[in-house]
Amino acid sequence: MLAPVIQDPNGGWSFATAREAASFGAGELTSVPGVEHAMAESGTLCGIPEHQATRYMHLFEPAEPQACPACRQRAEAAPTKPCAQERLHDRLQAADPGQARDDLLAALRNGAKVGLWLRGPASSLGRHDAGLDSLTEGAEPAIKAFNTTTSLGLARVEDGAWASLLSCPRTTAARSSHAGPALSADNPQGPRGRLPLGKT
């Protein structure tokens, strides 16, 4: 599905130019297989009630030949949605103030890649995805979040050669934690507490 692109007068990346097309799950009318419909909350976009449809575990693709024409038209006309950078930026604004937060907000506004954003059991995320042993800034609150919460969101923002991790508890603001090389004789000007990509 193609999203309309808003041209930025400066030719740069922005939240407005990075908006994403709306997405819908796919489904079929139970009694008439072969035509794929876009699923909304209580049925299809073309008006078939939920109880008459079978939902599938993939997204509706309006360009596919089996797509319902009415669903195709409504899906393509649906409003775009904020990109991952904008959604994470909005969550991070409520985090504790500080240089790490401000740096991440600026990176997200400039289109830094959101390389990972998932939710799951905190202990599993902490063990397999967070790289808690590499945190150098914000480590204590991050470790505490992974040890005291049953479910947690984890985001990884990649900005150039560096990455930052964010823990996103369900009920509170996102908290930024940085990992990586501290200032040293070998790295006297390196950004404090960021993790070089490839070393997570």
Side-chain angles (χ1 to χ4, degrees):
M1 187 178 324
L2 297 175
V5 176
I6 300 167
Q7 296 297 324
D8 180 32
N10 298 325
W13 188 96
S14 71
F15 291 154
T17 62
R19 291 190 66 85
E20 299 170 355
S23 57
F24 301 92
E28 285 185 341
L29 180 59
T30 306
S31 60
V32 185
V35 177
E36 202 162 271
H37 296 272
M39 300 299 297
E41 288 183 27
S42 59
T44 68
L45 291 183
C46 68
I48 299 170
E50 176 80 27
H51 69 277
Q52 294 179 11
T54 301
R55 286 186 180 265
Y56 294 116
M57 294 187 66
H58 64 269
L59 293 177
F60 175 74
E61 294 290 341
E64 293 295 321
Q66 71 271 18
C68 162
C71 286
R72 174 185 297 127
Q73 183 179 15
R74 288 178 176 96
E76 289 174 345
T80 58
K81 61 184 181 181
C83 61
Q85 289 88 343
E86 184 175 359
R87 293 190 314 266
L88 193 55
H89 181 274
D90 290 348
R91 291 230 26 211
L92 187 58
Q93 284 194 354
D96 295 337
Q99 189 62 48
R101 184 196 75 151
D102 294 344
D103 290 346
L104 279 169
L105 288 171
L108 289 166
R109 281 191 300 272
N110 288 318
K113 179 182 175 188
V114 179
L116 172 77
W117 193 1
L118 49 89
R119 177 168 292 285
S123 60
S124 177
L125 292 176
R127 204 170 34 254
H128 301 292
D129 300 297
L132 294 175
D133 57 340
S134 63
L135 296 177
T136 58
E137 183 180 321
E140 271 187 55
I143 291 169
K144 183 178 178 184
F146 282 99
N147 288 330
T148 60
T149 306
T150 56
S151 179
L152 187 69
L154 173 67
R156 176 186 167 123
V157 177
E158 300 171 3
D159 184 23
W162 301 94
S164 298
L165 299 174
L166 287 84
S167 57
C168 306
R170 185 177 299 274
T171 57
T172 59
R175 181 179 303 268
S176 61
S177 301
H178 294 301
L183 299 177
S184 69
D186 296 335
N187 187 24
Q189 311 236 344
R192 185 167 186 268
R194 294 200 177 185
L195 178 67
L197 290 178
K199 295 186 180 181
T200 55

